Amino acid sequence: VRHGWMAPTHVLRCCQRGLAWIPVIFIALVVCWSYYAYVVELCLFIYLTVFHVSFIMFVWSYWKTIFTRPATPSKEFCLPKSEKEQYEKEQHPETQQEILKRVATSLPLYTRTGAGAIRYCDRCQVIKPDRCHHCSACDMCVLKMDHHCPWVNNCVGFSNYKFFILFLTYSLVYCLFIAASVLQYFIKFWTNDLPESHAKFHVLFLFFVAAMFCISILSLFTYHLWLVGKNRSTIEAFRAPVFRNGPDKNGFSLGFSKNIAQVFGDQKKYWLLPVFTSQGDGFSFPTRLVTIDPEQPTECLQPAGLDKG
């Protein structure tokens, strides 16, 4: 009976994985069509150089966002064999927490659950590093998880957050450039000044699609730039991380310039390239106790690492 139950579950899981690629395939088809409509049908030679630069950077960053595997906790965050056996046999949550606390003393952990407990994933059987969360879609714990994005069929986190920001950047540039350069032909279409050919319908839809994506991407792009400036993830923006001294929405903020460097790295020449340059290892992050917005320099803030309470 159990084998018969597992078979449909496996088939359902395979179907879900297949359907998850539909948004990615949709975006790929739209991009391929936009390339055909712009380069083949309109053939705007003056603009082709800028178009191809934005197109290549967009595709490159989109590819990296999709196919960069989410980073997961290392073995040091797994319970040792003896403690794991004790944890699984123990029925009382208080005693389980004592086991986790003993193991966590050697780990770089500053955040806790809302109740002040050690964050542990029963599904992955690991102690969660700071800013790590379990993704139900990927069925894994993801380091510095931001969100699961259906448009890339992947989790956006520590390993590919920079690529995701660049994907939004270049997709916005791509759409803006197409909309701006096609606008004159779009106006001619409505004034009947455009010569009769099947290319006129590509002009019509190319402008509408570019404008539509431009508007939708702009809000998302602006929001994530704000998150980068504050050194917050989407999850942390909705639910402040809990430290030993309580919830603190600015707990990981180091000031605007250092927050930018956390995602893009120290060397500015690599900022616009979809190559990994983010600071840190994804397991631990610089943090400090804050009671005010760090963007308002009115107090001297004490590093959380100095807090021994």
Side-chain angles (χ1 to χ4, degrees):
V1 176
R2 186 175 180 181
H3 177 74
W5 177 79
M6 288 295 288
T9 304
H10 178 71
V11 172
L12 180 61
R13 187 66 179 172
C14 289
C15 290
Q16 288 176 335
R17 289 177 179 175
L19 292 174
W21 284 99
I22 290 179
V24 176
I25 294 172
F26 172 74
I27 293 296
L29 290 175
V30 170
V31 171
C32 289
W33 166 77
S34 68
Y35 185 89
Y36 168 81
Y38 196 94
V39 176
V40 179
E41 292 295 340
L42 296 181
C43 200
L44 305 176
F45 291 107
I46 299 177
Y47 306 120
L48 284 184
T49 301
V50 178
F51 172 82
H52 278 97
V53 170
S54 61
F55 178 80
I56 290 170
M57 297 305 294
F58 163 65
V59 172
W60 186 8
S61 57
Y62 189 44
W63 177 276
K64 293 282 284 188
T65 307
I66 295 172
F67 294 106
T68 299
R69 182 175 173 80
T72 56
S74 61
K75 292 182 179 180
E76 67 177 321
F77 289 90
C78 298
L79 295 178
K81 185 176 181 181
S82 57
E83 280 79 0
K84 183 179 178 181
E85 291 175 352
Q86 293 176 22
Y87 182 88
E88 292 175 345
K89 291 177 182 178
E90 186 55 55
Q91 300 297 320
H92 298 90
E94 297 82 4
T95 309
Q96 287 182 324
Q97 268 300 303
E98 289 301 320
I99 296 172
L100 294 178
K101 285 180 180 179
R102 287 202 304 270
V103 178
T105 54
S106 61
L107 299 174
L109 299 176
Y110 292 106
T111 57
R112 301 288 187 266
T113 65
I118 300 295
R119 302 189 316 126
Y120 183 75
C121 179
D122 289 306
R123 179 73 175 174
C124 299
Q125 297 185 327
V126 295
I127 294 176
K128 294 179 183 178
D130 292 343
R131 314 184 83 176
C132 176
H133 298 275
H134 184 86
C135 175
S136 57
C138 295
D139 195 24
M140 66 174 69
C141 282
V142 178
L143 298 182
K144 195 187 175 185
M145 178 177 172
D146 188 87
H147 68 288
H148 183 89
C149 180
W151 298 108
V152 300
N153 190 29
N154 198 6
C155 241
V156 177
F158 176 75
S159 63
N160 64 349
Y161 188 59
K162 179 192 173 183
F163 306 149
F164 177 73
I165 297 295
L166 291 180
F167 156 61
L168 293 179
T169 303
Y170 290 120
S171 58
L172 184 61
V173 170
Y174 183 70
C175 291
L176 276 172
F177 179 75
I178 289 179
S181 58
V182 173
L183 179 60
Q184 57 179 315
Y185 298 94
F186 180 75
I187 295 174
K188 288 181 179 180
F189 173 85
W190 286 108
T191 56
N192 293 320
D193 291 333
L194 197 67
E196 283 293 332
S197 71
H198 64 281
K200 64 187 300 182
F201 296 103
H202 287 289
V203 170
L204 176 65
F205 288 108
L206 194 57
F207 179 81
F208 273 125
V209 171
M212 179 186 66
F213 275 100
C214 185
I215 293 171
S216 60
I217 292 170
L218 181 60
S219 58
L220 189 61
F221 173 70
T222 305
Y223 176 66
H224 277 279
L225 283 188
W226 178 79
L227 289 178
V228 171
K230 292 289 187 180
N231 200 1
R232 297 178 198 165
S233 66
T234 300
I235 295 174
E236 291 163 353
F238 285 95
R239 185 173 66 250
V242 180
F243 296 85
R244 285 171 289 184
N245 60 317
D248 191 342
K249 65 179 182 179
N250 291 318
F252 292 106
S253 185
L254 307 172
F256 183 76
S257 60
K258 290 183 179 179
N259 291 343
I260 298 294
Q262 281 284 297
V263 175
F264 290 95
D266 292 320
Q267 298 184 320
K268 294 182 180 180
K269 61 183 179 180
Y270 296 120
W271 280 12
L272 297 180
L273 295 178
V275 293
F276 184 81
T277 55
S278 299
Q279 293 181 342
D281 55 10
F283 303 118
S284 61
F285 299 89
T287 180
R288 57 184 180 175
L289 295 174
V290 293
T291 55
I292 59 171
D293 192 321
E295 267 36 301
Q296 306 297 324
T298 57
E299 291 184 19
C300 180
L301 305 175
Q302 178 187 11
L306 299 179
D307 176 38
K308 301 298 183 182

